Amino acid sequence: MRDVGYLRVGDTAEALTAAARPGARLIAGGTELVNLLKERIEQPDLLVDISRLPLTDITVGPDGLHLGALARMSDVAAHPEVRSGYPAIAQALELSASPQLRNMATMGGNLMQRTRCPYFRADHDLPCNKRRPGSGCSAIDGDHRAAAIFGASESCVATHPSDLAVALVALDAQVRTTARTLPARDLHRLPGDQPHRDTVLDHGEMILGIDVPVSPPSAYLKVRERGSYEFALVSVAVAAETSGGVIRTARAALGGVAPKPWPLDVDLAGVPLRRDELRAAIAPAFAAARPLPGSEFKIELAQRAVVRALTKPIGLMGET
Amino acid sequence: MARITVTVNGADHTDEVEPRLLLAHYLRDKLRLTGTHIGCDTTNCGACTVLCDGLPVKSCTMFAVQADGREIITVEGLATGGQLQPIQQGFKEEHGLQCGFCTPGMMVAATALLERNPDPSEEEIRWALSGNVCRCTGYVNIVKAVRWAAQAMQEQAAPEEPATRQPATEQAATR
Ligand SMILES: Cc1cc2nc3c(=O)[nH]c(=O)nc-3n(C[C@H](O)[C@H](O)[C@H](O)COP(=O)(O)OP(=O)(O)OC[C@H]3O[C@@H](n4cnc5c(N)ncnc54)[C@H](O)[C@@H]3O)c2cc1C
Ligand code: SF4
Ligand code: FES
Ligand code: FES
């Protein structure tokens, strides 16, 4: 790991000034950044430690849920009112990473984590446009089981790994930064011909918090190769109001299928909570899927996951 | 260089460190507390688990500067006064280890579990240890070891103070 400077900041203004310097990088829990430095994926000159800023709030009020950027994954997941009112968020967090990591990792850092594409993370030089722009993409003709089926480009087919981000999109959350407030669904960007840029945030822009409006019953279903401590092959977050076995309103987002949380843009109002009707209703959203040979299975898997998330008792999700 | 003061197993240490120094290396190389193992480069194995302000964290994925002002407990801090803690005894009694490489991390993570939940089920134990990988035991005896410790701690606690849950380290000190 290359030598690097370190500055622990005492307030947001100081953080902004320091983070604006070229070569500066924010560090919160460090559970992602330390790895990016170890692998030399990022080689900043200065670490701006924001971990002691008072941005750890978890508050539930009549207008919804507010999470400070530095609230820890473990604290948010364990919060009784998050568990009862926003179970998709609690479940997405609890099913992420491991206990030790959740004890350090923060909301802001989770959203800003980078892809787990094995070529991007490789400890020797392999073509990867996200890591070394212009070098090519090893995944397209290589191991792309984890690749995106939506929103990929010829330069990059990687998926975004955050479970939290998927839940936030289904719950229509907003992300507050030092420069703006934007819908969670607009935070991450599609690769196009600039796959090295994961989000729309500018250099030095800092996430301050997340605002989630009052939510209908919600759930998070994560499908992965083993029962714990693994990233999603496919995941789905749903927030739905139902009555008499029929959906009144539903919002869903998929993880593991795109470079960003992928909103399921179909209107499910009036659809009965039965497998065949649900399959028919969501099918149009999958017509746009463009898988690679190795990731084609995700089209079927994702549809089954959506149906299962909607038909299992809402709020009791998580056990895969 | 940055100046840090870290409380490790109850003793304060003030040192000048490079910001890129990992906490695991600080503990092992600077403080010579080599019970904290490093088993991977990818934040996966959990051999490096220590407690930071009472919570298990991976010391290989944390810079020493991040521990400034924090209280760290390593595996060396579990036993007090030459007396093995129930969790250590449990691993011995139930053969919770073979090569022993994962054991410090397992015991530290299990210690945090038992402080929070003195009577964990098998599932709760497996969930709490899901960030710790063992290549030898198949986990069955590790789960038994934690159950053994839970029972031992409850038996110890029962005669004197039935309802209180004391942290394991304090319990030993007051025993
Ligand atoms: C083995 C392993 C398994 C994992 N499994 C999962 C999983 O299943 N699901 C999942 O979702 N995640 C998973 N993760 C990722 C983990 O959740 C992230 O490492 C963690 O959330 C990052 O948070 P942090 O506070 O430690 O971020 P840091 O490492 O401190 O920062 C990460 C990035 O975010 C930036 N950043 C931090 N805070 C802010 C802010 N406030 N504003 C703007 N930028 C900021 C940093 O500059 C850095 O680029 C896993 C990680 C590991 C190592
Ligand atoms: S999919 Fe993206 S991250 Fe993976 S090798 Fe290709 S360019 Fe790199
Ligand atoms: S050494 Fe493997 S997780 Fe820390
Ligand atoms: S006893 Fe060998 S790795 Fe666990």
Side-chain angles (χ1 to χ4, degrees):
Chain A
M1 196 184 299
R2 211 177 72 171
D3 198 10
V4 62
Y6 176 80
L7 177 70
R8 185 184 303 150
V9 292
D11 58 48
T12 305
E14 196 189 346
L16 269 185
T17 312
R21 292 194 219 163
R25 219 36 116 254
L26 299 175
I27 179 165
T31 62
E32 166 70 328
L33 194 65
V34 171
N35 281 318
L36 295 174
L37 263 63
K38 276 191 195 172
E39 294 292 358
R40 296 172 184 260
I41 294 170
E42 299 202 5
Q43 309 205 346
D45 302 318
L46 176 67
L47 300 178
V48 180
D49 186 347
I50 56 173
S51 64
R52 315 281 164 115
L53 298 183
L55 295 172
T56 55
D57 50 303
I58 306 171
T59 50
V60 180
D63 61 337
L65 167 67
H66 304 280
L67 300 173
L70 294 169
R72 285 191 297 216
M73 290 173 75
S74 50
D75 290 335
V76 178
H79 195 279
E81 287 175 282
V82 177
R83 296 181 82 82
S84 60
Y86 305 85
I89 292 179
Q91 290 286 5
L93 291 170
E94 201 160 72
L95 296 173
S96 293
S98 76
Q100 297 99 320
L101 293 163
R102 295 193 295 271
N103 285 336
M104 287 294 286
T106 65
M107 297 294 102
N110 184 285
L111 295 178
M112 297 301 286
Q113 67 177 297
R114 309 202 65 192
T115 185
R116 312 311 288 197
C117 174
Y119 303 105
F120 176 77
R121 299 270 167 175
D123 56 9
H124 40 274
D125 282 7
L126 291 168
C128 171
N129 289 323
K130 195 184 267 303
R131 184 157 167 184
R132 281 175 289 273
S135 63
C137 171
S138 298
I140 291 177
D141 291 319
D143 175 1
H144 55 247
R145 186 171 155 75
I149 58 172
F150 295 112
S153 74
E154 278 173 15
S155 58
C156 179
V157 296
T159 55
H160 196 268
S162 166
D163 291 294
L164 170 68
V166 178
L168 294 182
V169 169
L171 269 52
D172 205 19
Q174 304 274 320
V175 176
R176 245 179 310 114
T177 78
T178 42
R180 59 188 134 172
T181 298
L182 75 168
R185 65 187 279 169
D186 296 339
L187 176 64
H188 298 96
R189 58 184 293 287
L190 297 181
D193 56 10
Q194 290 195 312
H196 58 284
R197 292 184 52 217
D198 299 345
T199 74
V200 300
L201 299 195
D202 296 318
H203 178 75
E205 188 173 349
M206 183 175 136
I207 297 175
L208 296 173
I210 297 163
D211 304 314
V212 191
V214 173
S215 166
S218 67
Y220 189 74
L221 176 67
K222 180 168 178 176
V223 184
R224 47 185 168 177
E225 307 269 19
R226 57 181 177 206
S228 67
Y229 199 16
E230 184 56 281
F231 291 93
L233 272 177
V234 158
S235 71
V236 55
V238 294
E241 275 176 287
T242 61
S243 65
V246 175
I247 295 176
R248 286 181 47 220
T249 64
R251 200 192 298 271
L254 295 167
V257 297
K260 55 187 287 188
W262 199 252
L264 191 74
D265 279 326
V266 286
D267 185 6
L268 293 174
V271 179
L273 287 168
R274 282 193 303 266
R275 198 185 61 146
D276 293 350
E277 281 91 337
L278 285 168
R279 277 300 292 248
I282 63 173
F286 289 85
R290 296 284 174 273
L292 291 167
S295 60
E296 203 172 346
F297 71 98
K298 287 188 177 180
I299 298 178
E300 177 65 23
L301 189 61
Q303 292 180 82
R304 291 187 186 202
V306 175
V307 171
R308 188 159 151 214
L310 282 164
T311 50
K312 268 187 79 169
I314 297 282
L316 295 175
M317 214 54 59
E319 328 71 58
T320 42
Chain B
M1 297 293 261
R3 174 179 290 265
I4 59 167
T5 300
V6 190
T7 310
V8 181
N9 301 333
D12 286 352
H13 297 269
T14 300
D15 279 298
E16 295 280 333
V17 297
E18 280 191 10
R20 65 178 165 177
L21 181 69
L22 299 175
L23 178 60
H25 288 141
Y26 175 71
L27 295 170
R28 289 178 55 86
D29 302 342
K30 187 95 188 175
L31 303 187
R32 305 302 297 162
L33 293 170
T34 52
T36 299
H37 291 169
I38 299 176
C40 72
D41 260 340
T42 50
T43 313
N44 276 290
C45 73
C48 63
T49 303
V50 300
L51 300 183
C52 177
D53 289 346
L55 297 174
V57 300
K58 294 192 169 175
S59 63
C60 74
T61 310
M62 185 176 167
F63 293 120
V65 285
Q66 292 178 271
D68 181 32
R70 308 290 195 207
E71 193 179 329
I72 303 294
I73 304 282
T74 68
V75 68
E76 290 91 343
L78 296 186
T80 33
Q83 180 96 347
L84 287 188
Q85 276 295 296
I87 191 68
Q88 295 171 307
Q89 201 127 23
F91 271 75
K92 186 168 158 239
E93 296 295 330
E94 297 287 359
H95 307 285
L97 64 151
Q98 288 175 21
C99 80
F101 200 83
C102 69
T103 316
M106 290 286 179
M107 294 196 304
V108 168
T111 297
L113 168 68
L114 293 174
E115 286 183 12
R116 211 175 57 246
N117 178 357
D119 188 22
S121 65
E122 171 172 354
E123 200 190 335
E124 287 167 332
I125 294 169
R126 287 183 178 271
W127 184 250
L129 299 182
S130 58
N132 295 75
V133 176
C134 176
R135 297 294 292 267
C136 306
T137 64
Y139 302 101
V140 173
N141 286 355
I142 292 177
V143 173
K144 282 191 196 158
V146 180
R147 282 298 316 158
W148 191 98
Q151 255 152 27
M153 285 164 69
Q154 280 179 331
E155 280 159 25
Q156 282 169 10
E160 318 161 7
E161 293 174 62
T164 51
R165 292 181 188 178
Q166 291 183 342
T169 43
E170 280 174 35
Q171 223 171 49
T174 55
R175 199 164 48 220

